[in-house]
């Protein structure tokens, strides 16, 4: 598989280069030059595979120029072991048309585990093979950090730095990161929001590309493996709720657009997805874009669904590139976004996008109402992000349209909000409750790239 950057200059790279570069050297994001399309017969042949085998079959074309077939099979098996629980993905059936796919059965109770356990094992294999050491840098709005630390810190060849916005992730999300006592793990609280953390990561990559200081790689969804790992659960979920190849929709709470983009790639690979419903909170940059064709950065607001408190959706660049197929245009658009805080796209492209994407947003008060309603009606406890998805999906889809709601995190990560919404005492899972009692270790820095440079150098 050959990859190229969305901005047109860093082209025709193999998987190993893309893996270890993270962000493209021209500032863009890597995408494969082609995708395998699965026929109906081929899709049916995938239906009965277990999860590790499905991962292998769907993703092997992306990696086999760097990893042998036999070794990659081992990586897939090791990535989805007992740490994902008895059911790798459990389902709640609301009625014959509506299903909730619980993507939080992994080791850190969030959907990020599906890609980051795979990424960690791929890193471990490639670093040993190439006999190199790696510095991993990432930003998190809540769940990426703990999943990345769990997946990637086991290698002695890795040092991992995770940036998170100070006082803007839940206590349990923070402690899942900051209570890890490993010499190769460094947690950094930034006085700012997630967009500030993400911007700092990208700017550090640019600085490092210009100076070649260290071997630097990414765990954010700017890394193609993050997308690759998330494609699989779209296929898996589809096969679990259908008996024949019928079109259905996925409803996705999203901020950075990586999860939704993985669904889009699944559709391009032949999965019969009718619509992908983009669900936003009050930080509604994606909803506003699909409504108007204008991407405009506004102030990031604090909400009850903090993992979506984002104004710059990095993976949207990949989607735009797929429609424009012009790296120079993408570079121009994102230069304008960085400097003018806005850009607009052609109406013709917007109309094509709307054929695949629906959109909607939810307020905090509506989020609380939805959590309460789902509990009272179905005795199901959902987290605020899932509540955003369910409510938007109910508004955007007809009642008899088949859909899967993606539940992206365990409700206990946002226990205060959930307790208030359902009006009863709810406990943490034992594993998370133990974390709350542990001591923390992290650094606090200003929203200042020079402070990050100094910290990593030291």
């Amino acid at each position: 598989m050959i990859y190229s950057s969305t901005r047109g200059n860093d082209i025709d790279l193999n998987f190993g280069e893309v893996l270890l570069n993270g962000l493209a050297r021209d500032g863009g994001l890597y995408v494969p030059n082609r995708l395998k399309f699965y026929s109906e017969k081929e899709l049916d042949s995938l239906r009965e595979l277990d999860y590790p085998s499905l991962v292998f079959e769907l993703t092997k074309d992306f990696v086999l120029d760097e990893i042998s077939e036999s070794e990659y099979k081992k990586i897939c098996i090791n990535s989805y072991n007992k740490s994902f629980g008895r059911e790798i993905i459990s389902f709640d059936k609301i009625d014959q048309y509506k299903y909730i796919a619980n993507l939080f059965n992994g080791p850190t109770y969030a959907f990020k585990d599906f890609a980051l356990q795979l990424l960690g094992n791929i890193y471990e294999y490639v670093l040993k093979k190439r006999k190199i050491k790696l510095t991993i840098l990432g930003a998190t709005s809540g769940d990426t950090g703990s999943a990345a630390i769990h997946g990637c810190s086991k290698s002695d060849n890795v040092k991992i730095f995770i940036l998170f916005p100070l006082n803007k992730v839940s206590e349990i999300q923070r402690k899942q990161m900051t209570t890890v006592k490993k010499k190769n793990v460094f947690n950094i609280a930034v006085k700012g929001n997630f967009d500030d953390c993400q911007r700092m990561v990208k700017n550090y990559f640019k600085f490092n590309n210009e100076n070649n200081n260290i071997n630097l790689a990414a765990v954010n969804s700017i890394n193609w493996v993050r997308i690759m790992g998330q494609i699989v659960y779209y296929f898996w979920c589809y096969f679990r709720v259908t008996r024949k190849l019928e079109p259905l929709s996925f409803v996705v709470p999203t901020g950075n657009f990586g999860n939704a983009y993985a669904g889009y790639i699944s559709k391009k690979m032949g999965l019969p997805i009718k619509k992908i419903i983009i669900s936003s909170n009050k930080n509604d940059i994606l909803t506003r874009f699909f409504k108007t064709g204008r991407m405009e950065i506004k102030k990031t607001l604090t909400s009850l669904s903090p993992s979506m408190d984002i104004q710059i959706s990095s993976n949207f660049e990949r989607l735009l590139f797929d429609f424009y197929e012009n790296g120079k245009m993408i570079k121009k658009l994102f230069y304008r976004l960085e400097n003018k805080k806005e850009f607009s796209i052609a109406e013709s492209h917007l109309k094509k996008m709307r054929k695949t994407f629906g959109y909607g947003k939810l307020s905090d008060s509506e989020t609380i109402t939805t959590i309460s309603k789902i509990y009272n009606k179905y005795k199901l406890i959902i987290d605020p992000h899932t509540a955003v998805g369910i409510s938007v999906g109910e508004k955007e889809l007809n009642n008899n349209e088949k859909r899967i709601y993606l539940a992206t995190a365990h409700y206990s990560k946002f226990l205060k909000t959930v307790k208030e919404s359902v009006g009863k005492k709810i406990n943490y899972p034992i594993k998370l409750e133990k974390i709350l009692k542990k001591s923390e270790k992290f650094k606090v820095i200003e929203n200042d790239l020079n402070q990050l440079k100094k910290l990593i150098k030291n």
Side-chain angles (χ1 to χ4, degrees), residues 185-200:
V185 174
F186 304 88
N187 287 293
I188 305 165
V190 176
K191 293 180 181 178
N193 55 44
F194 170 74
D195 291 325
D196 296 323
C197 297
Q198 184 169 249
R199 188 182 303 108
M200 207 181 297

Side-chain angles (χ1 to χ4, degrees), residues 44 115 133 188 206 217 256 283 322 331 341 370 424 436:
D44 276 330
K133 293 187 180 295
I188 305 165
K206 291 175 186 176
N256 215 21
N283 296 289
D322 199 70
K331 185 176 181 179
K341 307 301 181 188
T370 302
K424 64 172 286 186
L436 287 172

Side-chain angles (χ1 to χ4, degrees), residues 51-52 74-89 104-109 113-114 117 121 150 431:
Y51 201 88
K74 291 178 187 176
I75 287 171
C76 293
I77 292 169
N78 290 338
S79 298
Y80 305 96
N81 56 23
K82 293 179 181 178
S83 66
F84 275 85
R86 187 172 59 85
E87 289 182 283
I88 193 159
I89 299 172
F104 48 71
N105 293 331
T108 71
Y109 294 85
D113 286 322
F114 283 93
Q117 305 317 306
N121 287 321
H150 189 281
K431 182 179 175 181

